[in-house]
Amino acid sequence: MKSHLKRFAVLILVVTPFFSVKAQFSLGGNSKSTVKGRIVAVIMDSLTKKPIDYVSVSLFNTKDGKSVNGAVTDSKGKVVIQNVSPDDYKLSIGFIGYKTKTIFLKTTPEKPDYNAGVIYLSTVAGNLKEVEITGQKALIENKVDKLVYNAEQDITNAGGDATDVMRKVPMLSVDINGNVQLRGSSVRVLINGKPSGTMANSVADALKMIPAEQIKSVEVITSPSAKYDAEGSGGIINIITKKKTAEGVSGSVNTTVGTRSNNGAFNLNAKTGRLALNGSLGLNQAYPQNSKVFNYNSAIVDGITNTTTQDGFSKWSRVGYNGSLGLDYDFNAYHNISTTVKMNRFSNGGPGRSDIVRNGVSSVNLRDMDMSFNNLDWNVDYRKTSKKEGEEFSVSAQLSTGRNGSDFSNTFSTVGVPDDVVIRGHNTGKNNEYTVQSDYTYPFSKTTILETGVKGIFRNIVSDYDQQQQDFDYDQNVASAYGVMGFKLTKKISVKAGLRAEYTKINGLAGNSLNFDNDYFNLFPSMLISKTLKPMTTVKLSYNRRIQRPSLFYLNPFRNESDVYNPMEGNPKLSPELTDNIELGYSTFIKGSVINASVFYRTTGNVIESAIQPIVEDGVSKNLTTYRNVGTSQSYGFNIFGSYNPKPKWTLMTNLGLNTYEVNNEEDNLNTGTFLNYTAFARSAYALPKGWTTEIWGVLNSPKRTFQGRTEKMYFYGATVKKEILKQKATIGLNVLNPFNRDLNIKTENRTANSIQFTDIHYPLRSFGLNFSYKFGKMNFNAQPKKKKGVNNDDLKKDEQQQGVGGGIGN
């Protein structure tokens, strides 16, 4: 292993100077200034002197008349057009019921930013058809390799959290607790292109800690190029937060108080000259509530049938907090360094009780469970650009350290037995991860761009618990290099092709007997072809290969017996999943309406799923849940997203996803057959006069299949009313979730040839909440934004429990 690490270190030492030289000396082509600025304006009614939202602002080059960029005003009438190269422009402002206004302006390398100040629009009588509404064009952007939902353009997001935002993103489905799926598969969620320890532990909890006002956009990458880590079969979701590039101090306060949970978040940003600072604090608390839980087990072992029923409740609560501190400094126009430290802690658990009948014998179990997740991420990023537009060199490093705890106790009381039986367990899992990477981008021309880089990830997992023979020590090291070329075949056809190479070295020790060692080398090609059929209409065809390595949750052999009759443990012998994806997508914008449709085919080898196995220990029959590579899966799928504005301030939105499920294992003579899974989301939002907004939405999920079982379908729905106050600096709102159904009923059944496991949970869901958000600060827009680079570990198959309902459900 040391020899492989030495080779990788030598590779980095050899390649990095090469990148550095390339970053300093042009490889050819015309040198062009990379200085870009912004155009800022505030649009108001000439009579009322009040701001107008949803105004379409377009920027045209006066030399050739071509459209350069555009944006839509926010609730304060403000519009910001970014990435404007120095030139002569025409600014066109139009909105239904007002006369179109045109302003000529000029930006220069010395003064790349232009503040147009307040622009007044005059109303027009009679003909209201001379201005076409194009607000939705800015809400959803269809780029070559991703789909972008611009959350900052959606005024209904005010006062919510990231969970509310993600439900509105095309192709995503969000369950009741905020767990995210992309086309029926788990997805890797990044923050500003970087992995997060908070996301790794619990996506649902992490999303609840991010205020909606802090999110600028959400990128959906269904077919990642070779530039990204090859991990993550479902795709990548990248949440882009707002970066304050303006002088001054600003921030926001967000809080929600409800009958089910409370949330709070505070964000502060400050910038002076070349130095920018930002910090945040967040808190989430879910009240203890009773979940009714019924379990039935039946297993045949050695010809003997044993049955066990458990009827009781769990009273779990959840508490979490996180914080971050970031620094960004521009040495000059071409050199930038930034660093961020993030800390988080989540814990959930609580007491429970079950009345047990085992083979006709009654007993009572009093239990307690506590799980904790702690994580710290620290990253440092250096970025260098040059006078050649688009050329960029970066070096990034990240330290991520986590500590997860699990404690449980069971006390059994049986009539006629004098002494209680007590079973306890304790486990501490430690995960240390070190990452270093270097990337280089070189534009041969405006349409031909090369991206290349190297990366190393070094992981160590240690699991300690009461019994020494069960301790688990696991090392996983990944070295990779990639190259991606983007170019245009014709004016309407763009191509992005790449290849990534990854070498993985694994060794570990489980207890005193199981010693395993493994290494493998993989190539991951990617290809994307995009054709513009007509303005705002695009068709795409893509292919990529991905890998999904199991994370600590799947590997840890610790036996969790918080439910003695349904214990759980990981499997350190798991192999990674390997997936091939083919996708055909179509996107169009028609008079303010958005339609995005795609079909895909996905084949996955060594599929990892949970599996039950009947066992007998100390004379007690149990169904042990562990994880297996169950076989090969083929899946066909379809997704359609649509958004329509019957009126300028009324938005109708829907998202429908369908995919097939099938697992085949020739060695075990297993074939599940083909099943259809679906998820549907619908939403209606309306902006009323005087700062009022309303929204209703609903989600329907089909039964979920596994190779052994099925979870019944479920649905949930909600509504929100919000009002802008304090001169549009604050928002107050009332939200409701499932007002007509107290509980969410979740039924799961797993079967093997010799056993049955059935669970029926009534999870309390109905809730009412009051939210408040406030933005403060005054800024001067005289700085241009810079795109940041950083570590991006798109890997590791996460806890599949995150795909269901958690934080309140126990056994």
Side-chain angles (χ1 to χ4, degrees), residues 623-673:
N623 271 327
L624 172 67
T625 298
T626 185
Y627 298 92
R628 288 178 48 192
N629 294 112
V630 298
T632 300
S633 171
Q634 294 188 79
S635 179
Y636 301 85
F638 169 78
N639 184 273
I640 185 167
F641 169 86
S643 179
Y644 172 63
N645 288 76
K647 295 182 178 181
K649 295 186 179 183
W650 184 14
T651 300
L652 297 176
M653 187 180 292
T654 186
N655 192 71
L656 174 65
L658 303 170
N659 69 278
T660 61
Y661 172 85
E662 178 187 4
V663 170
N664 182 59
N665 189 324
E666 295 181 359
E667 294 182 3
D668 295 342
N669 194 27
L670 166 71
N671 190 299
T672 62

Side-chain angles (χ1 to χ4, degrees), residues 365-610:
N365 178 25
L366 299 178
R367 61 185 179 274
D368 203 357
M369 180 70 187
D370 181 64
M371 294 185 293
S372 62
F373 308 91
N374 303 271
N375 201 87
L376 181 146
D377 297 321
W378 178 31
N379 61 273
V380 179
D381 309 311
Y382 166 74
R383 174 178 176 268
K384 181 183 183 300
T385 58
S386 70
K387 292 183 179 180
K388 184 174 180 62
E389 184 178 11
E391 186 177 18
E392 182 179 296
F393 169 74
S394 66
V395 177
S396 303
Q398 178 168 294
L399 163 67
S400 183
T401 176
R403 187 183 183 94
N404 300 342
S406 180
D407 295 271
F408 67 84
S409 67
N410 292 282
T411 302
F412 292 89
S413 301
T414 305
V415 177
V417 178
D419 297 324
D420 293 340
V421 177
V422 180
I423 299 175
R424 291 188 176 92
H426 169 76
N427 173 242
T428 300
K430 304 173 184 177
N431 184 9
N432 293 318
E433 182 176 303
Y434 308 90
T435 304
V436 60
Q437 72 181 69
S438 181
D439 301 276
Y440 177 63
T441 301
Y442 181 77
F444 292 98
S445 66
K446 288 184 177 180
T447 58
T448 304
I449 300 174
L450 171 67
E451 298 173 289
T452 185
V454 293
K455 184 174 186 178
I457 306 175
F458 310 95
R459 296 188 176 97
N460 172 250
I461 295 173
V462 177
S463 180
D464 299 322
Y465 36 112
D466 297 339
Q467 300 180 16
Q468 181 64 32
Q469 67 271 20
Q470 289 185 322
D471 284 354
F472 177 59
D473 195 341
Y474 179 87
D475 288 304
Q476 180 193 93
N477 300 310
V478 182
S480 59
Y482 73 89
V484 177
M485 181 69 77
F487 57 93
K488 277 187 172 292
L489 283 179
T490 66
K491 289 184 178 180
K492 294 186 176 181
I493 300 178
S494 300
V495 178
K496 199 168 188 178
L499 180 67
R500 186 179 189 92
E502 291 191 356
Y503 171 76
T504 305
K505 174 66 177 177
I506 296 174
N507 59 71
L509 178 66
N512 298 321
S513 58
L514 180 58
N515 194 347
F516 51 93
D517 192 351
N518 189 22
D519 67 311
Y520 46 89
F521 176 79
N522 300 97
L523 293 175
F524 300 96
S526 67
M527 170 73 76
L528 187 148
I529 302 175
S530 174
K531 181 178 181 179
T532 302
L533 301 180
K534 58 182 180 179
M536 309 310 296
T537 300
T538 306
V539 63
K540 302 177 184 178
L541 178 64
S542 64
Y543 163 79
N544 64 28
R545 176 171 292 172
R546 311 285 292 167
I547 193 172
Q548 191 79 66
R549 300 179 180 92
S551 63
L552 170 61
F553 178 84
Y554 288 86
L555 298 169
N556 190 354
F558 168 65
R559 176 72 65 86
N560 185 334
E561 293 189 326
S562 56
D563 181 344
V564 172
Y565 300 103
N566 296 282
M568 299 180 64
E569 67 180 21
N571 180 5
K573 296 183 179 180
L574 287 173
S575 299
E577 297 177 347
L578 192 64
T579 303
D580 290 278
N581 301 280
I582 299 175
E583 176 187 357
L584 177 64
Y586 173 84
S587 297
T588 187
F589 297 82
I590 306 174
K591 296 182 179 180
S593 299
V594 180
I595 298 176
N596 179 275
S598 62
V599 293
F600 67 90
Y601 169 73
R602 179 170 62 230
T603 177
T604 303
N606 292 323
V607 173
I608 299 174
E609 284 190 6
S610 64

Side-chain angles (χ1 to χ4, degrees), residues 702-718:
S702 72
K704 180 182 178 182
R705 302 280 183 170
T706 66
F707 86 105
Q708 283 187 343
R710 151 190 178 115
T711 299
E712 294 294 338
K713 69 178 180 181
M714 63 184 72
Y715 66 92
F716 48 95
Y717 50 91

